[in-house]
Every structure is written in C-alpha cells, then in structure tokens.
Amino acid sequence: SLLARASIAAARRLGEPRLVAGSPKRFAQGIGAVLSLAALIAAYGLEATGPARVIAAAIAAAALLEASFGFCVGCRIFGWLMRAGLVPARVCLDCADIARRSTLRA
C-alpha cells in the first residue's frame, strides 16, 4: 500500500535499523492485542469505561516508550519470563545466538 511504502521510506531516513529477535516482539504484540480486547470488553461489554481508559492508557504508554526510547515493555517481560524458566530457551534461539538473525527485509 502507499501508506506502507511511505512509512518504510520514512523509517529508512531515521538511520540504521536495530535488529531484534522476533519472539519477544511477537509476545509484546500478543500482550497489546489481549489488552486491547480487554479494554474493548470492559468498555462495551461491561460498560466499565474507567478500567477501559486505564488499560488504553497503559497501551499508549507502552507504545510511547517503544516509539520514543526503543524500550519494549513486552520484550522486557519476555526476558523476565525466560530468566524465571517460564519460557524455555528453545523458544527464542535468536535471542541466544545473534548470528542466527536474518537481515532486515523491507
């Protein structure tokens, strides 16, 4: 799409990309999806707009941290879960061996 091409072109002008492993990012995206669904259910299913706004604010704060500082809250949680042994190391082979990472594709 035109919007996708424009965003890729803009991102390329920001500098060299920082490659990260996919598993923590997918985990973070999953957290975002679950929280978005929870906010939707709270707002429309339970008519609890207060909790829905708090959840939406948490999502916005996490997105702001990622966009502004490159700090991924979901990735950090993923790392904690790996260190605690709740996520097996085999799930994230890219995390353990940087040589396994593929090149960035546009």
Side-chain angles (χ1 to χ4, degrees), residues 28-81:
Q29 291 170 350
I31 290 174
V34 167
L35 288 177
S36 296
L37 184 61
L40 182 70
I41 291 170
Y44 294 105
L46 304 175
E47 296 183 10
T49 56
R53 288 181 184 190
V54 170
I55 295 169
I59 294 168
L64 181 64
L65 284 171
E66 173 72 21
S68 300
F69 305 109
F71 180 81
C72 176
V73 176
C75 298
R76 184 60 58 105
I77 294 169
F78 185 85
W80 290 337
L81 292 173

